[in-house]
Amino acid sequence: QQQVKQSPQSLIVQKGGISIINCAYENTAFDYFPWYQQFPGKGPALLIAIRPDVSEKKEGRFTISFNKSAKQFSLHIMDSQPGDSATYFCAASRASGTYKYIFGTGTRLKVLA
Amino acid sequence: GAVVSQHPSRVICKSGTSVKIECRSLDFQATTMFWYRQFPKKSLMLMATSNEGSKATYEQGVEKDKFLINHASLTLSTLTVTSAHPEDSSFYICSAGGGGGQETQYFGPGTRLLVL
């Protein structure tokens, strides 16, 4: 019940295209869902996060879509650029208590020039 | 804002020695800090959670006597790998919560440890 399943494992997108990464969770107690971007040899950087009281959140080219009934959320990267090539992790946590994250397995995105 | 630093960025040590990694929140007070380990092309594995002034809480399977964590202040946590062995070689990353909101974790740049 603590798992967060992330797909696809890897993704290749043409420059200017839309990258879509999906995550699914089981624990209905989760109420905070962040996405992180990680470049090789670096720490993860927060991209965008959402709480279950909204179905969509947009920040620049990054959008999170959230489906509470399906227990799924996804990251959309619009107008994907070669500089977006990185590994993306979704996570889920409870916005109270220990605030521990349960991370997805990661998606390696490559954007072709 | 919400910047977390780690030192050193990489370290090479001999088997049997101890290595200390520092994690600092530079512009906010971190009530909670987390230590992760990451293997190549894998996700982050939580090792322990620490709150300032109290003992760290270790995840199942993590040896607390081997990975000593101290959270001495609201801006500093340290991880000491004691009696390091080659299998401890990994990428260690800390994160700090309490910057933009208690639930958000801000990650440090990571420390690459190589034990010879």
Side-chain angles (χ1 to χ4, degrees):
Chain A
Q1 232 196 357
Q2 286 290 86
Q3 276 189 320
V4 176
K5 296 181 180 178
Q6 184 171 346
S7 63
Q9 187 174 2
S10 62
L11 181 62
I12 299 175
V13 173
Q14 293 287 340
K15 179 181 176 181
I18 302 173
S19 304
I20 301 174
I21 304 170
N22 301 297
C23 285
Y25 63 98
E26 298 170 357
N27 189 343
T28 55
F30 290 146
D31 53 8
Y32 182 70
F33 304 90
W35 283 90
Y36 286 84
Q37 178 190 58
Q38 186 180 30
F39 292 104
K42 306 294 183 184
L46 178 68
L47 271 178
I48 187 172
I50 198 168
R51 292 185 178 83
D53 54 344
V54 296
S55 60
E56 186 174 283
K57 184 176 181 180
K58 183 177 180 180
E59 289 185 4
R61 295 186 294 112
F62 302 96
T63 299
I64 298 180
S65 297
F66 186 83
N67 186 329
K68 187 174 181 178
S69 60
K71 292 185 284 185
Q72 295 175 347
F73 58 109
S74 60
L75 175 69
H76 295 233
I77 305 174
M78 313 300 286
D79 187 27
S80 299
Q81 299 296 313
D84 297 330
S85 298
T87 300
Y88 293 81
F89 293 98
C90 64
S93 76
R94 297 183 63 180
S96 62
T98 64
Y99 311 104
K100 282 170 36 173
Y101 282 177
I102 305 299
F103 275 99
T105 49
T107 296
R108 299 184 76 188
L109 171 65
K110 182 169 185 177
V111 181
L112 301 177
Chain B
V3 178
V4 177
S5 70
Q6 267 184 255
H7 178 80
S9 58
R10 57 179 61 207
V11 57
I12 301 173
C13 69
K14 293 182 179 180
S15 186
T17 61
S18 294
V19 174
K20 180 184 283 189
I21 302 170
E22 289 187 350
C23 176
R24 293 181 184 272
S25 57
L26 299 184
D27 52 3
F28 66 100
Q29 293 187 326
T31 50
T32 307
M33 285 185 167
F34 304 85
W35 286 95
Y36 294 84
R37 184 173 180 177
Q38 188 176 34
F39 293 101
K41 299 182 181 181
K42 297 295 184 182
S43 189
L44 291 86
M45 183 186 78
L46 180 64
M47 299 174 66
T49 303
S50 73
N51 293 291
E52 184 261 341
S54 60
K55 290 184 179 180
T57 302
Y58 290 82
E59 294 299 302
Q60 193 172 10
V62 177
E63 299 177 60
K64 62 180 181 181
D65 294 331
K66 181 165 188 61
F67 299 99
L68 300 178
I69 292 171
N70 183 275
H71 194 157
S73 74
L74 286 173
T75 59
L76 173 65
S77 177
T78 60
L79 167 68
T80 301
V81 183
T82 62
S83 186
H85 290 282
E87 57 264 31
D88 298 324
S89 299
S90 193
F91 192 51
Y92 293 88
I93 314 173
C94 71
S95 72
Q102 193 70 10
E103 68 276 9
T104 302
Q105 292 184 30
Y106 296 94
F107 285 81
T111 296
R112 177 78 58 191
L113 171 63
L114 177 62
V115 184
L116 302 177

